[in-house]
Every structure is written in structure tokens, then in C-alpha cells.
Amino acid sequence: MSLLELHAVGKVFGGLHALRTVSLSVDKGQIFGLIGPNGAGKTTLFNVITGVYRPDAGHVHFDGSDVSGLGPVRIAERGIARTFQNIRLFRSMTVEENVMVAGQKLHRSGLASAVFRTKSHADDERALLSRAHELLDVLGLRQHASDIAGSLPYGSQRRLEIARALMLAPKLLLLDEPAAGMNSNEARDLERQIRFLRDELGVTIVLVEHNMAVVMSVCERIHVVDHGETIAEGTPGEVREHPRVLAAYLGQEVEEASESAAPSTTVNP
């Protein structure tokens, strides 16, 4: 069953076609990869899905409803959360505060309760803190809960962004280059965490990533774009062998990463 569907989506900036009739379908419970060279339109596609940009053509359907043109707040309320290519944390706040701030919609008490510090407000705060600590455990950051977010290493800041996005309890999580700045051990931990999010928390994931070892390891289906257009889609094995992907866009990088992720598979460029 499809959770997210894009139908011939287009986006134009000053006469430049950032997206041209991109169509894709992401099934519920899937880990879906979106790859392509720099400037291919991947982040623009994320911005259209999350309501930052209104599509100039086509439609975005999520969970059975047309969400084309809805704003970011309404999109988030429907169950789509994301991380960003450039980390966007509250750097002077603690790690746990960064996660808790995203969970304010879970508050059951109103503004008056917050002003007068009522018991219901205190109960909400305890519930938010407990949920934040659960997510920090999942992402391996629990020991840093009281640390200032800006003091974390780059890879840990990436994971903190994921924890904060999960505080929204999304059905769909869009990850924009989560492995950027991570070493090989951190990237392998990230792979396990992504699978955990899908398998244990039931979150569907769309992953934009330049680390092909991560993409080929965790994604069940991959969509490839360049210059705003689809050039290939299929399983990791199919994309690995697609001549346009290998020769024109990702070249030897995909072949080497694919052999690393699946050493028994022969790659035919």
C-alpha cells in the first residue's frame, strides 16, 4: 500500500526547471532511497513534499489525501517529518531540550496551565522528557542528554536531528544526507538505527544520501534523478547495473559501494 505518491511533479525557479514530471511511489513500511548528483533536485523534491515549496505541476498524495500546496505545519501535522542537508539545531540548548521542543503538539494542557505551572502542565513535561530520552536511547545519544547541542561532534548532531524529527511521531520520515560527516563506524551504526526505526517504530523512510554503501545496504527501492528528471528506479541490484546510473551519474562509486555492501554480487557496468 502506497503511503506517498508523487504524480508528474514539476517545480520552476525563474525559468529553470528544478523538477520535471517526477513520479514515484513509496510503500508503507519501506526504506526508499532518492539519489543523484549534486544539483539533481533531491532537496527540492523534499521541499515540495514537506510544503516548503508549492509544486508548479503535478500532485503530491500522502496517506490517501492530496497534500499539494499545503504549508509545512499542516504537512507535519499529517505525519511527515524531515531532517535537513544543513544541520538546523538550537545550538545553545541542551540535547534533550532540542528533542523536547519538537513535541509541544503532544501537550494536552493549554497555555494557562503553562503560565500557572499546574499539575497537568508538569505531567506533560514529564511525558515529553520521557519520550525524548527514549528517542535519544534509540539514536545512541542518551548519555549526552544534558550536553549543549552545539558541542556534539558532527555525526552526533546528525543523529540528534533525527531524534527531534521523531518527536513528531511521524508516519513518514525524510532523511536528507544523514550520513554526511560520519566515519565508517558511525555510518554502520546509522544503518542499524534506520532499520530499527522502520522495524520497531513502524516509520516509513525516504533517504537522500551520497554515501552509496549506506544506500545500497538499507534501501529496498531506489529512485535516481538528475537535472530534475527521473533517470532510473528499481531495487539496489537493478540500479547498480543501470547503464545511465553507472556511466553518466554515479559511475565507479556505485560499483565499489555495491560490491562492499553485497560482495557476492557481480556488477556488470
Side-chain angles (χ1 to χ4, degrees), residues 240-256:
R240 190 163 56 227
E241 297 177 353
H242 196 287
R244 290 188 66 187
V245 176
L246 288 172
Y249 300 100
L250 302 176
Q252 191 68 18
E253 181 184 2
V254 168
E255 184 176 351
E256 292 172 352

Side-chain angles (χ1 to χ4, degrees), residues 172-241:
L172 175 67
L173 177 62
L174 310 180
L175 300 178
D176 199 344
E177 298 193 32
M182 292 186 177
N183 60 39
S184 58
N185 289 333
E186 289 173 327
R188 283 192 292 271
D189 286 341
L190 176 67
E191 292 172 15
R192 290 191 289 269
Q193 289 159 351
I194 289 173
R195 293 191 188 97
F196 182 90
L197 300 182
R198 191 275 304 276
D199 296 341
E200 301 300 325
L201 301 185
V203 181
T204 302
I205 295 171
V206 177
L207 173 70
V208 164
E209 184 53 66
H210 284 293
N211 185 325
M212 289 298 102
V214 172
V215 171
M216 294 293 173
S217 174
V218 302
C219 294
E220 297 148 338
R221 193 161 188 85
I222 300 171
H223 191 97
V224 191
V225 294
D226 187 49
H227 293 96
E229 297 181 294
T230 297
I231 62 168
E233 183 175 336
T235 65
E238 292 166 343
V239 167
R240 190 163 56 227
E241 297 177 353

